[in-house]
Amino acid sequence: MGMSAPQGGGGRRGGVAPSMNVTPLVDVVLVLLIIFMVVTPLLAKQLWLNLPKKDDAAKLEPPPDDASKPVVLTVDQRGVIRINQAEVQRAELKERLARIFAARSDDVLYFDADDEAAYAVAVEAMDAARMGGAKTIAVLTEKAGR
């Protein structure tokens, strides 16, 4: 806080009048703004998404036979988790997927969540799948048969 002397004829009556110096306040606010601008992008989680190109859609191979069926993890609107239509408890999901991926050569999991499924349950299922050995999680965007 700075002080300034009164203009004009001195005297005790006017005295020294305080004045606010806002320069340090502005400096601190600008430094905080820069810090938040630098840190904010680092806080976001990243999700890499690989979409097929239109040319790849024409080159689709026929679905695999039953011996090498894909692993499909499904979450319905009630929060029930299924692996290839077989119901699985949340506590045993990670171990079940670890056993499945140990017997397979690929570590691809297809994930399908109902539109009305709770977000927290879907993310918890994907986290368990990642911890269970799924290297690639392919999110299904269309229902089968459409």
Side-chain angles (χ1 to χ4, degrees), residues 2-106:
M3 305 290 217
S4 64
Q7 303 291 4
R12 190 95 170 117
R13 186 165 165 85
V16 178
S19 66
M20 178 64 77
N21 185 2
V22 295
T23 303
L25 176 68
V26 171
D27 290 344
V28 170
V29 169
L30 286 176
V31 168
L32 287 174
L33 177 68
I34 291 170
I35 289 172
F36 285 127
M37 287 173 56
V38 170
V39 170
T40 301
L42 301 176
L43 297 177
K45 287 188 176 182
Q46 293 182 353
L47 175 67
W48 299 104
L49 184 64
N50 297 324
L51 296 175
K53 296 180 174 77
K54 289 192 177 194
D55 297 338
D56 293 343
K59 300 175 190 174
L60 290 178
E61 298 175 12
D65 59 350
D66 287 342
S68 60
K69 281 177 66 173
V71 180
V72 180
L73 180 67
T74 309
V75 179
D76 68 4
Q77 69 184 33
R78 294 175 301 158
V80 177
I81 299 174
R82 292 184 173 86
I83 298 176
N84 290 345
Q85 303 302 323
E87 191 171 326
V88 178
Q89 298 299 321
R90 290 183 195 173
E92 63 184 41
L93 178 62
K94 184 173 84 169
E95 290 82 17
R96 190 88 163 282
L97 286 172
R99 282 184 281 150
I100 290 172
F101 287 124
R104 297 176 62 90
S105 60
D106 65 339

